Amino acid sequence: MSETSAGPATLAEPPTEAGPPRGLAGIAWHWRNDPKRELWFAWYSMIIFYNIFVIVFFIMTHAQPPPHPDWSDAQVVSWFNGNHNGLLIGFGIVFAIAALTVPANALIAYSMRRMSVSRAFAYSYLVMYSLSAFPGMLLLCVVLSVAAMRPGRDPAQTHWLYDFAFLSYIGTMGIFLVGSLVWMLAILLDKNRVLPKWFGYLNLCNALTEVVVAPAWIFHRGVLDWNGLISWWINMVVFGVYTSAFMVLLRTMIRREDFGEGPLPDLPNTLKAKIAALAGAAQ
Amino acid sequence: MTDIAQAEQPEAETKKPARHIPGQPDMWVLVLFEALVFTAYFAVYLFHRSAHSGLFLRSQAYLNPWLGTLDTVLLLTSSMFMLHCVQAARAGVARAAMTNACLTALLGLGFLISKVTEWILLTRTGHGFTSNEFFMYYFFLTGIHLLHLLIGFITLGVIMYQLRSPKRGSREIVETCATYWHTVDLLWILIFSLLYVVR
């Protein structure tokens, strides 16, 4: 990231003396002058990726929530026939934007680099998430696309591809579990106040719900199968809260970033700062 | 005005210690969030229990209520020692705090052994994770709770690390870890009630 281009900046926010213009000109201004443009690029990549991910997986392909694991060959074939165009077009889009996960993961790794902890945390997180993107997302897209591509294939083969795709997707939860624990440990050990401690604990909650997915390898029906009430629905609520929290917190981190070494400064307009100012005025 | 009002207050009232949340306030996010997640698990369990009450009652009869009670007594006693540990740490008596932390760990280990023994006895009599819906919930809820207990051992390790040196001895960290341990205890009481007691 542009640590050198930041120069002697000490403010959490970019300098606003001249003030960026509004609208498209404002975007151009930030592109040229904002020392945090690379960080913002990574953050917007994350937002764009997750939005498209939700649209493709939940609306276009219906791969989320996953269909039932105990379906017969005929039901599986019927599901592929019903979602034929959605699967091919949707996963085509995913292949086009999948690389946006790289800057998104890099931003999370950057948050750990900014902390007062070993770089091993950031590097291990980056490697884990980079590798898990293949079995955890791309393999599901490839295999479901293969099954959808030729509707006339033997139903038993189509069913095999169906199981393979969803088990591959479910099976990588362990990597996300360890990734969450690495991030948690970094946040709890950090002295630079990059991210709040409560988010460290929220990482633990997220990791514990990833464990609950493991029984999906055993059960074909009920609350613990791969689309079960406990193993998918409750987990998805936790994951939604967790993901929303880190998107907001990473945005705040970028706004607070001073490209220094020590603790991150607080934003001047936070509730905490306002309370402190009011307390000062009352005295 | 403010100064006069303060001066008129009785001395005892002005010296009242400020109320504070034990440990890091951030830890309470974990406590509340885990409470919500477990509430969801319990709601799912109770919904299925009401739908298959006969099966659940028949299966429940295979559980040993004495082992469940022993588990509860072990964890409640461990929480009591944890409380003494925090009080001793607050008073700056590191040795007593360490003794209580060790006793807490010992009782936690007793719970772990008791729970694993119960699992082995059940599976030997043909009541495993996949036997029926009741045992699926039984092994799931007790299993995820045991995972929380294992994390509790890590927090006990953190407490002992803090207490070993007077330079470290952070009261806040001891209280934070104790909060986690009490949460594990509370979750067990709810699980025990639902699986062993409720008929």
Side-chain angles (χ1 to χ4, degrees):
Chain A
M1 301 288 172
S2 67
E3 289 178 32
T4 50
S5 67
T10 51
L11 293 172
E13 291 279 61
T16 52
E17 278 174 23
R22 289 174 181 276
L24 285 175
I27 295 171
W29 184 91
H30 278 286
W31 188 256
R32 285 195 302 273
N33 301 302
D34 194 341
K36 298 174 183 175
R37 61 193 168 196
E38 291 92 341
L39 295 177
W40 285 120
F41 167 73
W43 188 79
Y44 279 107
S45 299
M46 178 184 282
I47 300 298
I48 292 166
F49 172 77
Y50 275 106
N51 276 289
I52 295 177
F53 178 90
V54 169
I55 292 166
V56 169
F57 278 75
F58 284 78
I59 299 167
M60 292 182 74
T61 62
H62 297 116
Q64 296 289 310
H68 296 288
D70 63 339
W71 273 353
S72 64
D73 288 355
Q75 284 172 305
V76 169
V77 170
S78 167
W79 182 80
F80 276 106
N81 290 339
N83 296 304
H84 178 79
N85 291 333
L87 285 165
L88 295 179
I89 297 167
F91 289 141
I93 294 169
V94 169
F95 291 128
I97 58 115
L100 288 177
T101 56
V102 178
N105 290 331
L107 183 62
I108 294 173
Y110 180 88
S111 77
M112 281 181 259
R113 279 287 309 275
R114 186 63 183 80
M115 292 175 190
S116 62
V117 295
S118 164
R119 291 179 179 185
F121 286 96
Y123 296 149
S124 55
Y125 186 94
L126 204 55
V127 171
M128 264 189 284
Y129 270 61
S130 303
L131 290 177
S132 64
F134 179 66
M137 185 183 70
L138 291 175
L139 199 56
L140 171 106
C141 301
V142 171
V143 175
L144 289 183
S145 300
V146 167
M149 195 174 167
R150 300 189 197 284
R153 192 180 272 117
D154 176 9
Q157 274 187 357
T158 305
H159 202 157
W160 187 90
L161 291 168
Y162 173 85
D163 286 343
F164 179 40
F166 285 109
L167 280 178
S168 158
Y169 176 76
I170 298 291
T172 40
M173 293 301 157
I175 303 176
F176 297 120
L177 183 158
V178 178
S180 285
L181 292 179
V182 166
W183 205 6
M184 175 201 81
L185 210 54
I187 294 167
L188 295 183
L189 293 173
D190 173 43
K191 291 186 173 68
N192 286 351
R193 303 182 302 113
V194 174
L195 293 170
K197 300 292 179 204
W198 64 259
F199 181 66
Y201 295 119
L202 193 62
N203 268 281
L204 180 61
C205 295
N206 184 58
L208 285 166
T209 53
E210 304 282 8
V211 177
V212 174
V213 184
W217 288 84
I218 304 168
F219 293 97
H220 290 188
R221 62 183 67 186
V223 295
L224 295 178
D225 70 12
W226 74 41
N227 73 343
L229 198 52
I230 288 178
S231 60
W232 195 87
W233 291 92
I234 294 175
N235 278 4
M236 191 46 78
V237 172
V238 175
F239 183 70
V241 172
Y242 172 72
T243 309
S244 309
F246 76 63
M247 283 174 182
V248 174
L249 291 173
L250 288 171
R251 180 177 177 272
T252 309
M253 180 199 77
I254 297 171
R255 292 178 66 203
R256 291 168 62 205
E257 175 61 297
D258 62 350
F259 299 110
E261 293 290 326
L264 273 187
D266 284 323
L267 287 174
N269 275 335
T270 54
L271 182 66
K272 203 169 139 187
K274 281 178 187 168
I275 291 168
L278 280 172
Q283 282 176 358
Chain B
M1 281 287 284
T2 316
D3 292 341
I4 294 165
Q6 275 179 353
E8 282 172 359
Q9 280 176 344
E11 198 180 335
E13 204 173 316
T14 50
K15 281 187 176 175
K16 197 184 279 182
R19 290 175 69 189
H20 86 286
I21 300 169
Q24 287 176 354
D26 308 71
M27 168 53 98
W28 290 91
V29 172
L30 175 88
V31 174
L32 291 173
F33 210 80
E34 282 296 286
L36 285 173
V37 171
F38 270 84
T39 303
Y41 294 159
F42 296 152
V44 174
Y45 168 78
L46 287 171
F47 178 77
H48 282 97
R49 187 192 162 85
S50 62
H52 310 282
S53 53
L55 171 78
F56 276 62
L57 273 174
R58 280 195 306 278
S59 305
Q60 212 173 8
Y62 291 103
L63 297 184
N64 186 337
W66 292 110
L67 269 179
T69 310
L70 174 71
D71 294 342
T72 310
V73 170
L74 285 170
L75 269 194
L76 280 174
T77 318
S78 80
S79 261
M80 186 189 76
F81 283 119
M82 178 58 89
L83 190 70
H84 290 316
C85 169
V86 172
Q87 283 172 340
R90 280 176 181 163
V93 192
R95 196 182 174 86
M98 182 66 98
T99 308
N100 281 295
C102 290
L103 286 168
T104 308
L106 205 66
L107 289 163
L109 193 67
F111 177 91
L112 177 76
I113 293 166
S114 165
K115 190 45 61 200
V116 174
T117 307
E118 192 179 6
W119 285 353
I120 293 168
L121 290 174
L122 280 169
T123 45
R124 277 189 182 168
T125 51
H127 302 103
F129 193 22
T130 54
S131 297
N132 64 33
E133 205 163 1
F134 173 79
F135 283 107
M136 181 192 77
Y137 281 110
Y138 167 80
F139 280 100
F140 167 69
L141 288 172
T142 54
I144 195 79
H145 176 263
L146 204 71
L147 188 64
H148 282 72
L149 184 87
L150 293 177
I151 298 167
F153 285 124
I154 297 171
T155 65
L156 277 171
V158 173
I159 288 178
M160 289 173 186
Y161 177 75
Q162 289 294 323
L163 293 172
R164 276 186 71 179
S165 163
K167 284 178 190 169
R168 284 192 291 267
S170 161
R171 194 189 75 179
E172 190 186 59
I173 294 178
V174 171
E175 286 179 355
T176 305
C177 295
T179 306
Y180 180 85
W181 190 266
H182 293 313
T183 307
V184 174
D185 191 6
L186 174 72
L187 290 175
W188 171 255
I189 291 167
L190 294 169
I191 291 169
F192 172 69
S193 310
L194 286 172
L195 293 176
Y196 293 81
V197 180
V198 172
R199 297 281 164 179

